[in-house]
Amino acid sequence: MVKEQQARVDQATRNLNMITAAQQRAFDSNLANAKEQQRAMTQEYNAFSEVQTQTGTFVDTSGHRYVLTNTQNYHWVSTGGKTAETSSPTPPPGGGWTQLKQVPAQ
């Protein structure tokens, strides 16, 4: 009789452990989905904000990020760190300009 009771307790414990593990997996999955939705919504909000404020995020060849006015087609950074925008692919007067690449809002 004691062995039967212990077997039932052991089985109930295993069942509870399986249920708990399944609940944890479901929670982890829901949390991952919520985080992905939040990331996507934040990116969409930031992209909309850039449109409203006529700004854009750009990077140079070293990966440095710049948030600049985005009213022209071409964006540049000088060796001294000055930024400029032009309407043509010709850099501003003077030397040392590197074209920046626009990146999606984060």
Side-chain angles (χ1 to χ4, degrees), residues 57-70:
T57 304
F58 300 83
V59 295
D60 61 21
T61 54
S62 68
H64 182 82
R65 296 177 89 77
Y66 301 84
V67 176
L68 305 172
T69 301
N70 191 16

Side-chain angles (χ1 to χ4, degrees), residues 9-85:
V9 168
D10 291 345
Q11 184 60 48
T13 301
R14 285 190 294 276
N15 289 344
L16 285 173
N17 288 341
M18 287 190 314
I19 291 168
T20 301
Q23 287 174 331
Q24 186 63 50
R25 285 190 302 274
F27 173 82
D28 292 344
S29 176
N30 288 339
L31 181 60
N33 289 337
K35 285 181 178 182
E36 176 55 28
Q37 280 184 320
Q38 182 179 22
R39 185 204 60 74
M41 289 171 60
T42 298
Q43 185 175 4
E44 187 174 333
Y45 170 82
N46 289 341
F48 182 70
S49 178
E50 285 184 351
V51 169
Q52 285 185 311
T53 60
Q54 293 186 325
T55 60
T57 304
F58 300 83
V59 295
D60 61 21
T61 54
S62 68
H64 182 82
R65 296 177 89 77
Y66 301 84
V67 176
L68 305 172
T69 301
N70 191 16
T71 58
Q72 301 292 322
N73 293 330
Y74 300 90
H75 299 80
W76 308 88
V77 64
S78 70
T79 53
K82 183 178 177 183
T83 60
E85 29 173 22

Side-chain angles (χ1 to χ4, degrees), residues 88-100:
S88 73
T90 305
W97 291 97
T98 303
Q99 188 174 356
L100 300 171

